[in-house]
Amino acid sequence: MDDLTTYCENTWCPGCGNFGIFSAVKSAIKKLEARGVPRERLVMSAGIGCHGKIFDYLALSGFYSLHGRSMTTVQGIKLANPDAKVLTFAGDGDAYGEGLEHMLFAAKRNADITVIVHNNGVYGLTVGQYSPMSRKGFKGPSTPRGSIEEPLNPLAILLEAGATFVARGYSGKTEQFADIIARAVEHEGFSYIDVLQPCVSFNDTYKLYNGLVEAVAEPAKTREEAIRLAKRPDKIPIGVLWQERKEPFHGSLYGDWNPVAKRMPRAERVKIIEKIIRGD
Amino acid sequence: MDDLTTYCENTWCPGCGNFGIFSAVKSAIKKLEARGVPRERLVMSAGIGCHGKIFDYLALSGFYSLHGRSMTTVQGIKLANPDAKVLTFAGDGDAYGEGLEHMLFAAKRNADITVIVHNNGVYGLTVGQYSPMSRKGFKGPSTPRGSIEEPLNPLAILLEAGATFVARGYSGKTEQFADIIARAVEHEGFSYIDVLQPCVSFNDTYKLYNGLVEAVAEPAKTREEAIRLAKRPDKIPIGVLWQERKEPFHGSLYGDWNPVAKRMPRAERVKIIEKIIRGD
Amino acid sequence: MDVFTFLVGGKAGEGVKKAGNAAADLLASRGLRVFQMDDYQSLIKGGHNFSVVSASMREITSHYMRANLAINLDARSYDIHRNHLAEGGIAVFNSDLVKEGEGVGMPFTSEAKRYPDPGLRVGLGAVATLAVAVGMSAEELNKFVSSAYKRGLENNLAYAAAIHGKASPLLGGKFKLEKGGKPLPMLYGNEAIALGAAAGGLDIYIAYPMTPASSILHVLASHSETLRLAVVHPENEIAVANIAIGAASAGARAMVGTSGGGFALMEEALSLAGMTETPLLCILSSRPGPSTGVPTYTEQADLKYALGQGHGEFPMPVASPGNSQEAFYLSAELLALAWRFQTPAILLTDKHTSESRMSVDIDASKAARPEPLMHSGGEYKRYLDTKDGVSPLLFYPSKELVKWNSYEHDEKGITIDAPEGIARMHDKRRRKAQTLLEYMKSQRTVNTYGDGDSVIFAYGSTTMSVLEAVRHGKLKAKVVQPIYLEPFPVWEMERYKGARSVAVEVSSTGQFATLLKEKGNIDIDKTILKYDGRPFEPAELAAQLKGAL
Amino acid sequence: MDVFTFLVGGKAGEGVKKAGNAAADLLASRGLRVFQMDDYQSLIKGGHNFSVVSASMREITSHYMRANLAINLDARSYDIHRNHLAEGGIAVFNSDLVKEGEGVGMPFTSEAKRYPDPGLRVGLGAVATLAVAVGMSAEELNKFVSSAYKRGLENNLAYAAAIHGKASPLLGGKFKLEKGGKPLPMLYGNEAIALGAAAGGLDIYIAYPMTPASSILHVLASHSETLRLAVVHPENEIAVANIAIGAASAGARAMVGTSGGGFALMEEALSLAGMTETPLLCILSSRPGPSTGVPTYTEQADLKYALGQGHGEFPMPVASPGNSQEAFYLSAELLALAWRFQTPAILLTDKHTSESRMSVDIDASKAARPEPLMHSGGEYKRYLDTKDGVSPLLFYPSKELVKWNSYEHDEKGITIDAPEGIARMHDKRRRKAQTLLEYMKSQRTVNTYGDGDSVIFAYGSTTMSVLEAVRHGKLKAKVVQPIYLEPFPVWEMERYKGARSVAVEVSSTGQFATLLKEKGNIDIDKTILKYDGRPFEPAELAAQLKGAL
Ligand SMILES: Cc1ncc(C[n+]2csc(CCOP(=O)(O)OP(=O)(O)O)c2C)c(N)n1
Ligand SMILES: Cc1ncc(C[n+]2csc(CCOP(=O)(O)OP(=O)(O)O)c2C)c(N)n1
Ligand code: SF4
Ligand code: SF4
Ligand SMILES: [Mg+2]
Ligand SMILES: [Mg+2]
C-alpha cells in the first residue's frame, strides 16, 4: 500500500479497468507534486457507481457526492475556495446519463474543474444495465432484447458546448493517461477526460480497445478538427484532442478574490448592510 | 376569435414574438388538416414560461407540464398511444436550461415528438434573467453586471446527439415557420425547431433578426454540413437544416403495437402471470 | 384616523408596483409605520395589478382592503376596486379611460401623453394625487419625485406638477395625517432574508429563479460586489443545491432559495446534506400549490412538505419568520444554527412575507453569526464520534485528509456496510438531533403577543394578519406564533393546553392546526382557513376571530 | 424440527445467491414453506455474500440466523458464520481454503477446478451438500440440478455428483425433514410487485435502476413481450416520472419504481400528478439512509418522507405490504385506487420485502383492476366540479378538448388566478380526499393476526419478523399491521387504545411509533428499534418482545 492509498478494502472485480485508472491517478498526483502542485491542494469528488469507489481508495480529501452530481459538488468547492485544484471521478451513467446537463453547463461556463469519466459503457454497480454509451444491441437487465438506441458521442457534444480541454484516455495505457490527467489538472478551465475502461464483468472491451486505440501526438488546431477526431469511425484516438485558453468561470466572476480566504470583515459588512437598509 | 383559439384572455405583451408563433401554429394545423392529419390527433404539452401560455390559448388537447419537462410529458403520451401526433412548446430556459438533458435523450432515442422552442434569449415570465441563449454581457436581474457566459448552440448540440429533424424558424416569418411546423409534425422521429422569438420587454431582437435571418432552400446533405450551417457566424439560416429517416423509438420498442389501444385481454394476462409464478 | 390606506390599481408595465412603493416611501418619510402589499399576476404587461399601502402612527402589520384613497389607472381596476372603499373613502379614476365613473376623475393618460413613454408614467400620477390628498405642497412633491423617480426625471417632475395642479382643487388636503417621529426604512421580506443572511456571514448564494423567491437572488446579485458575496445562477435547482453543498464543505456559508417546485428538485441534496452533515440554509417561499399552482399569489400549504423532506433520518430545523423584521434576524440565526449543528435548515416563508414590504427597525450588528466547532489539530476525523454528536470541522485544502461521504461511513469518512458501523453513525446523528433539541430549549422559539384567556395560534405570514386583526378588532386574546416548526417547541406549548384555542392559516387542509394537535397536543377549538391565494384581510379576520373566540 | 435453516456464504460472483435460490427451491419442492434472505454488498465480485433459507411445514415469514446447516465457501464466510449455528447445527467449510476448520470440510474448490469456470460452480457444491444432508439420493439431486442449473449442465451434473459422493459419508441424511403437501412457488417481493401490477392491468413501467427497486424493472423488462407491457429505462428519474404522467394522461396504467434518492427526484412530478389529478403508482423501496446510505441493506426510515412528499395539498394514498404475497395484491389494489381517485399513490416497501423470497399461494385473477370513471358523452370538462370531487376521464386523441393543467385551472383546464376559482378547485380536491377517506373505511386497511391482550404494532417488512417472532416465542399477543399509512386508518385504531402496546420497526427514530401516537392516538408503551441495515432476527426479537409485553 502506497501513501496515496487508504486502508479501505478494494472491492473492484479482479481485472477491472478501474485499477488502471487508480494507478494512473496516483502517478499523475506524483507528477503534479514534482511540478509544484502539492497533493493537499487537490480536492476530489466522485459519483456513485463502481468508479466512485476510488473516493474510498485514494488518499485525497474530498466529497463523495451523488449519482450524477459530482461535477456540481466540485464546482461548489472551487467557487468557495479557488485555491483548491478540484477533480471529480464520474461514471458514464453519472456524467452522460443522470448528470449530462451539469457537464454541458460546466463546459459552457468554463468551470475550472477536471472531470474524469470512467467510461465502461455500462451501469456497473447496479449490475449491468445499458448506459448512454452502450452500443445498439447491448443486452442488460433493462434491455434483455438488446438496447435499441445508438450511443452518444460525449466528446463531440462537450466540444460543441465549449469545453476548453478535451481528452480521451485508456485505462490500459496507464502512463499516457497519467500524463493526460496531470495536464488536465493544470489546465485552467473545464478539463474533461473520457477514459475507456473495460468492465470485465459486464462489458469486457480490452480486446476491442487494444485493437482500436491510437495515440494522438498533439491537440487539434481547431475545435472542428477536434470534433472530427472525436468522431473518427475507424480508430479511437487517445490523448488530448483539444485545449484552448479562456478565462475560467470563477475568474470572470470575481477575479482573484476568494470567498472563504478573503472574507470581508464583519463590521464592514454590517455597515454596508445598514446603508442598504436605509436606502442611501 | 378563430376555432383554434380558446376563450382564455391573452396576456402576452403587445408586440411579443409569441403572437407570430401562435399564428404560425394555427396555420400549420390547418395545413396538416388539409394533408389529412385531423386536429384531434394532435396532442400538445407546454413548459412553464411566457411561451407556455400557448397551452391556454390554443384549442388543442394536451398537458400543461412543468418547467423543463414538457418534452418528457409528450414522450409519455406518445408511448401510451402512438396514434397521437405529439408536439410540445418549450422556452429556451425550459429546453436549453432546466430540461436540456431530456432534449438530448429524446434526440438520441429518436422519440417521435415535435419540439418547438420559443427562443427569446431570456427567462421572460420570471422577469428577465439571462438564459442559456443570452449573449455574453446580457444584463438581467441575476446578472446585473452582465452575463459572463457564452450562449449555447443548441442546434449543433442536438445534431451531435442524433436529432433526425432540425430546423430554425423566426416568429417574424409566419408562413415559412408554419410550413416548418407542418413538416416537423409529419416527420416520424425527433423533430426539433428553434424559433427566434423577440421578447419586446426584455430582449427585443426584431431589428437584429430582420437583418440576419436567411432562408435555406433545402436541408443539408450531411449532418456535418447541417452543423456548419447551424454555426454560421455571419447569418442566421432559417428553414429545415437537417432531416433523415430513422426508425422512431416507439417503433423500435414495439413495432406497430399500441399499449392502450391494443391492450392484452385480462384473462390472457392473468394466465401468463400464473405461469410465470409457477416458474414454467 | 387609526389607519390610512391607499390603493393603486392598473395594468402591469404601467408602474403600479413602483407607485405602491413610492406611496409607501412617501408615507414612511412622514414618520408613519407602513405596510405594503403588491398583488400582481404572472404576466409582464397588461392584466390587473394593484398595490395597497396602509399606514399608521402605531405598529402596522397588514394592508387593509378598504382604502381611504383608491386610485385606478384603468377601467378594469376601476371595476374591481370601485367598492373597496373605507368609510369616507375616495375613488379616483382615470377619466381618459372610464367615462362616467363615480368619484374623482383625473386625466392621467392624456396628461402623460405629453411626454415620451406615457404608459410608464401614469403610476406617478397616482403618487402625485396621493401627495395632494395628504396635503403635500407642490414643492414637497417635487422634492419627493426627485429622489423616487430619477429615471427621466425632468418629464417626471413636469408630469407630477401637472397632476398636482389638477388634483389640488378636487382633493387638496382631504386626509389629515399626523406627522410621526423618525422615519423608518421599509423592507420587502425577501430583502430582509437576503440582507439578514449577509449580515450573518453569508459567503455564497446560489439560486435558480422561481417566484416568489427570485427577488432574494436579485437583491443579492445587485449587492454582490459591495458586499463581497459570490452569487451564482446555474442551470437548474439540482445544480444549485449541490454546488451550495460543495461550497459549504469548503467552508463557505452557503444559502439557496426557491419555491415548492424547485425545492422538490433539491430534495435529494437535502438528504445528502443530512448524511454528510453539511451546513446549508434553504429558503422555501411558498405559493399556492400543488405543482405550478398560482405563481404570484400566496399560501402556507408547504408546511408538511418542509417537515418531511429528505429520505432517511437526520436533524433539520425548520423555522418561519412572522414578518420582514423577523426574517432578517431569523435568516442569520438559521445560518448560524446550520453551522453549529452541521445540518441543512429551512427558512419557510411565503409570497405574503417575501413580497410584502413593511417598516422595520433593524440593528444589523445584532444578526447571529456562525461559530462552527473547528478541529484543533492532530489527526482529523470528519465524523468523529463525539458525545454530543457534533464533529469538529476542517476545510480543504488541508494537509489532513478530510472526507465527506454520502454513503454510510466510518469516522474518517470511508464507506462502510457492516452492521455495527451503521448503527453507530445512526446513533451519532440521533445524539446530534438531541443536542440540537436541548439547545433549542434555551432559545426563543415562540413569539407571544398580547394577553387574554383565549389563544390564537398562527405562524409565518399569517402572524401579521392576526396581529393586525387583533389590533383592528381590539380583541382580547393571546397570539402565539411558533417560530420553529421543527424541532417543534412542545415545551412551550404546555401552558396553552386547555385554553380556548383558534388556529389561523392560509391552507385548505389546516396543516398547522394538525401540527399543533399532533405534536403540540393542543386541542384546537376552531381553525380559520383561507385558500384563495390571498392573505387574510385584517378587518374580515377580526370578525371571524370574534366569532371564534 | 419446527424450522430448518440453511446458510450459504461466500464471495460475490461465486453463485452464492444462486445457491440460496436453488436451496430454497429444493426445500420448496419437498412441500415445505420457505423463506429466503439474501445478504449482499454493493460490489460485483468478491467481498462477502450470504443467503439464509429457513423452511418449515407451517407458515414461515422470516429467515433465522442460527443455521442447522451452514456452508461457507471461503475463509471470510467461515470466520463470520462459524458460530451462527443452531443447536446440533453443522458447519461445513471449504477445506481448500480453510485449513483447520471446525465441522465438516469439503473440497469445493479443488473439485470445481476440474471443470471450466470453477469460481462460478462452488455455489452448486453447497446445494449438493444440502441435498445430501436432507437425504436426497444421487438421482434426485441429478434431477434437481438438471432443472436448476441448466447453463453448463453436463459439468454441473458431474460436479454435483462428485460432491454428493464426497459428502454422503459425512452428512448423508443428517436432517430428517418431513415431506409436505403440494409445493408452493416462491417469489421475491419485487417479483410480486411487478407481477401484481401486471395482473392489475399495468400498461407501462418506467424506471431508472436503483437498488433495491431495480429488479422490478428487470422482471418487467424480461416479461415485457409475453405480457405485452411497455417497459422503458430513460435518462433519469425526472424523466421517469414525467414520462409516466404523460402516459397516464393518455390512458395508460403507469407505474414507476425507485429508492429514496431517485424518489426525491420524482417529487416535483408527484405534486404535478396531484394538481393535474393524474393516476400514478410509485414504488418506493427503501434502504438505509440518509442519502446514498447503504444501498444493499434494509431500513424503514422513509415513512415520514413518503407521507410528506409533494408541495401543496392533494390526496395521495401510501400503503406498505407485509410480505411478498400481500405485495402482489397490494400493487394491483393501489393501481386501481390511483385510477379510481386520479391521484398519485405510493407503495412503500424496503429491501427486506423487495429482495427476500418466500412461498406464496397466489390467485392472479383476484388482483384488483382499475375501473376509472369515464366521460359518457357531451361537452367535456377535465376538471368537472362534481359532488365527490372525482371528474370523469376522457383520453386524447379525442374530438373533445381534454386539457390537463399544472397551474391552478378552471373546470376546462384553463389557467386561472382569480380567488374564487382557486378556492373552488382547492375545495374540489379536498372533497376528493374526503371521498377517498370514506371509501377506505369500507376497505381492508389493517391486518390483524393472533390474539392476546397486548398489541404489537408493525408495518411493512417488519410484520414478517414480528409474526415469526411470535410463532417462535409462542407469544400471546395480537399483531396489528396497518397496511395503509395514508389515509391512516384511525377508525381501526380505536379498539387498541388502552392495551399494552409495543411498536417494532427498522428505524433509528421510531417514525412508525410516532405515527401511531400522533395520528392513531395510541399510547405506545415500548418501541423496539433496529437500525443496523439488517432486518430483525425472529429469535432475538422474540426475546425482546417477551421483555416488552
Ligand atoms: C438518483 C440515483 N439514481 C440511481 C442510483 C443508483 N445507481 C447507483 S450507481 C448507478 C449507475 C452506475 O453507472 P455508472 O455511473 O456508469 O458507474 P459504474 O458503476 O459503471 O462505474 C446507479 C443507477 C443512485 N444512486 N442515485
Ligand atoms: C422547477 C422550476 N424552477 C423554476 C421555475 C420558475 N420559472 C417559471 S418560467 C421560468 C423560466 C422561463 O424562461 P423560458 O423557459 O425561457 O420561458 P419564457 O418565459 O422566456 O417564454 C422559470 C425559471 C419553475 N416554474 N419551476
Ligand atoms: S462491475 Fe465492471 S466496472 Fe464494476 S468493478 Fe467489476 S469490472 Fe469494474
Ligand atoms: S415578457 Fe417577453 S416573451 Fe414574455 S410576453 Fe412579454 S414580450 Fe413576450
Ligand atoms: Mg459505467
Ligand atoms: Mg425564454
Side-chain angles (χ1 to χ4, degrees), chain B residues 135-200:
Chain B
R135 63 175 194 287
K136 201 167 164 173
F138 177 88
K139 287 191 182 175
S142 65
T143 54
R145 285 165 296 141
S147 158
I148 57 178
E149 299 179 36
E150 306 280 355
L152 285 178
N153 186 322
L155 282 78
I157 291 175
L158 283 161
L159 278 161
E160 293 287 7
T164 53
F165 181 106
V166 175
R168 181 168 259 154
Y170 174 31
S171 66
K173 306 260 185 223
T174 317
E175 270 319 298
Q176 188 217 22
F177 178 43
D179 179 56
I180 297 174
I181 298 172
R183 285 167 65 186
V185 171
E186 283 176 328
H187 174 77
E188 267 201 67
F190 182 72
S191 316
Y192 155 59
I193 314 170
D194 178 271
V195 199
L196 304 171
Q197 178 236 315
C199 162
V200 294

Side-chain angles (χ1 to χ4, degrees), chain D residues 207-265:
Chain D
Y208 188 84
M210 186 160 195
T211 311
S214 305
S215 51
I216 303 172
L217 172 61
H218 304 164
V219 168
L220 289 172
S222 77
H223 295 299
S224 63
E225 220 160 2
T226 39
L227 290 174
R228 270 308 190 194
L229 272 167
V231 178
V232 181
H233 159 187
E235 61 272 27
N236 61 30
E237 290 87 349
I238 300 177
V240 165
N242 284 287
I243 292 173
I245 286 172
S249 77
R253 285 77 163 112
M255 180 167 91
V256 301
T258 183
S259 190
F263 194 70
L265 294 169

Side-chain angles (χ1 to χ4, degrees), chain A residues 132-154:
Chain A
M133 298 306 294
S134 300
R135 63 174 194 288
K136 201 166 163 173
F138 176 88
K139 287 190 184 176
S142 65
T143 53
R145 285 165 294 143
S147 156
I148 57 177
E149 299 179 35
E150 305 279 355
L152 285 177
N153 187 322

